[in-house]
Amino acid sequence: QVQLVESGGGLVQPGGSLRLSCAASGSIFSINDMGWYRQAPGKQRELVASITSGGGTNYADSVKGRFTILRDNAKRTVYLQMNSLKPEDTAVYYCNAEVVGATVVSGARRLSSNDYWGQGTQVTVSS
């Protein structure tokens, strides 16, 4: 149906940088909001950053000034540029996208919206 494929995670030293990518594929009519979430051991999953189809962005206070969320609509891909990484950024990062899919029912096209998740990518910040 719809698949989100993440890449770019890894091990980095404090102060370093990583860029995460998430590409959507499948039966997609359009994509509305996209975002990145993370979950650290013993912590709740939290929203890191989100971006609308028009490019409006929102960031968690903990990453403002350090992270940047970007999207390439032609590639149906969202990126998270992470700079000045800290050990507390260590977590599994999950991509999320609100996808409008199209189906044909009784000869008529119908649209429906659903949230999809990537499988997660590990980011570890350690010296």
Side-chain angles (χ1 to χ4, degrees), residues 6-121:
E6 302 180 28
S7 62
L11 175 66
V12 66
Q13 297 183 61
S17 298
L18 285 173
R19 187 176 74 162
L20 307 182
S21 299
C22 174
S25 62
S27 56
I28 297 170
F29 179 78
S30 63
I31 303 176
N32 296 324
D33 291 359
M34 304 183 80
W36 290 94
Y37 293 72
R38 68 185 181 187
Q39 187 166 21
K43 305 283 286 186
Q44 297 183 152
R45 185 173 298 189
E46 64 174 344
L47 176 67
V48 177
S50 63
I51 185 167
T52 69
S53 60
T57 59
N58 185 53
Y59 297 92
D61 289 341
S62 59
V63 307
K64 285 181 179 178
R66 300 188 298 118
F67 291 10
T68 303
I69 187 169
L70 308 165
R71 67 188 289 167
D72 185 330
N73 290 328
K75 296 181 179 180
R76 292 175 171 172
T77 299
V78 63
Y79 307 91
L80 186 67
Q81 179 66 48
M82 304 184 292
N83 298 325
S84 302
L85 283 161
K86 304 175 180 179
E88 50 262 45
D89 295 318
T90 296
V92 177
Y93 284 70
Y94 297 91
C95 175
N96 173 265
E98 181 187 2
V99 177
V100 179
T103 60
V104 178
V105 179
S106 299
R109 187 177 69 176
R110 299 182 183 275
L111 304 178
S112 62
S113 179
N114 291 284
D115 282 353
Y116 292 88
W117 292 89
Q119 78 285 0
T121 184

